[in-house]
Amino acid sequence: MVRLDKNKIQSGLGHRSRNGTAGTEIDSAKSQSSNSELEKFSLYVLKVLMDENIPPTPNNFQIYFEKLLDNKPLSFKKRISDLLEAENLNDDEHRAKMEMEVKEGFGQIKSIMKVVSTVYKNTNIMKEIVKKRTAELEVSSGQLSVTNITSALNEDLKKLSMLMNKQMEVLKVHYEKTSTILKDVESKAVFDSRFGVYNRRYFLKNIESECKSIEQFNHRSTLVLAKIKDSILSRIVNSRDRMVLTRNIAKLLLKTSRRSDVVAHYGDGVFGMLMKHTDVNNAKRACERISDLIYATSFFIGDMEMDTDIELAIVPIAPGHTTELLVSVALDSLPKTGKRLEPYIVCELEVEEEESDEDSKDENGS
């Protein structure tokens, strides 16, 4: 583990190293000021990590960088964001994009096979027509030349049929291999292309990983679940329109989240947000932002404006509780929230049985 020298960081906050700027020509006073702001803010992030005993890994630095940036004035956030425009997508986002392209390719292959299948069927129909006409010619005409021509035509069609059958078998083998490969890729996918967020598998894996991290480093993280109320969705007759509304909610969740948050579709229209290094109070503020944004947004199904209602549940991630339990507690609490109920609810986890046993032992003096 890398450890930071506290004195060096604190001294670095007071002045910049001359060696870092020696020989470098600054194009303008504005860029010099922005770079200085970024350096000072980065040093501040490192200091906070050190003060809170958080390992200064790249992932933790990114999380705290975004977390602390949220508390800065809008003008400062704008200047820092402009400096970081070059950093586009992280590895998972690149992988998500790749998976979408693979799925699109899979769709193209299936379309090709449909066309090939249609051609094959049409060829069979053509063979039957020729066969039928040949039989008619043999019955109605006794001319030898006509019989020879139809016989030759029949032989040519047989050869063509045999050739096409071989080609179809080869094509079928290639298709099955491609299908197997793409299904394997899909089984390892982390992205839900329907909603533009991560999928359930990736979401649960990250929660489990975060539980282990909290147990080791004792920081705070929270889980938030969100869902459109069933009473709203039941008013929409068309399933495609329901999907459009749900997709729009997913987009708004992404809009209110930090890049370090894991936004995913858990299933059945339930979305989850894993907010790393975020305590309950900050999660509450995040839920307020989500509610404000969703209720301030107009949703239209055709010409009809929909009155949306969102359910939100917060669960503090605590060591010793399984991922399934954390999600289950949040799912059970979702129906208790809404526009006319509590805007969100903070779920309370039961005290671990092991702790209760130890407490009883202490009371008995054993």
Side-chain angles (χ1 to χ4, degrees), residues 6-7 16 28 33 46 65 78-79 91 101 110 133 142 145 182 184 193 206 217 339 344 352 366:
K6 198 168 190 175
N7 295 327
R16 297 176 61 189
S28 65
S33 173
L46 288 172
F65 189 98
K78 177 69 168 58
R79 290 194 297 272
D91 291 339
E101 292 172 349
K110 290 200 290 187
R133 298 305 179 199
S145 59
L182 291 176
D184 184 58
S193 57
N206 271 262
F217 300 113
K339 186 184 290 186
Y344 56 82
E352 299 176 39
S366 57

Side-chain angles (χ1 to χ4, degrees), residues 25 41 44 65 85 109 173 211 215 250 266 314:
E25 216 173 291
F41 182 68
Y44 170 63
F65 189 98
E85 278 184 355
I109 292 174
V173 170
C211 286
E215 190 171 357
Y266 179 76
I314 301 170

Side-chain angles (χ1 to χ4, degrees), residues 330-344:
L331 287 173
D332 291 342
S333 301
L334 281 174
K336 303 174 185 177
T337 65
K339 186 184 290 186
R340 294 171 181 80
L341 303 170
E342 294 293 331
Y344 56 82

Side-chain angles (χ1 to χ4, degrees), residues 1-2 46 49 54-64 217 277:
M1 182 183 295
V2 178
L46 288 172
L49 283 169
I54 303 297
T57 62
N59 187 47
N60 287 342
F61 182 86
Q62 177 188 349
I63 293 171
Y64 266 73
F217 300 113
H277 294 275

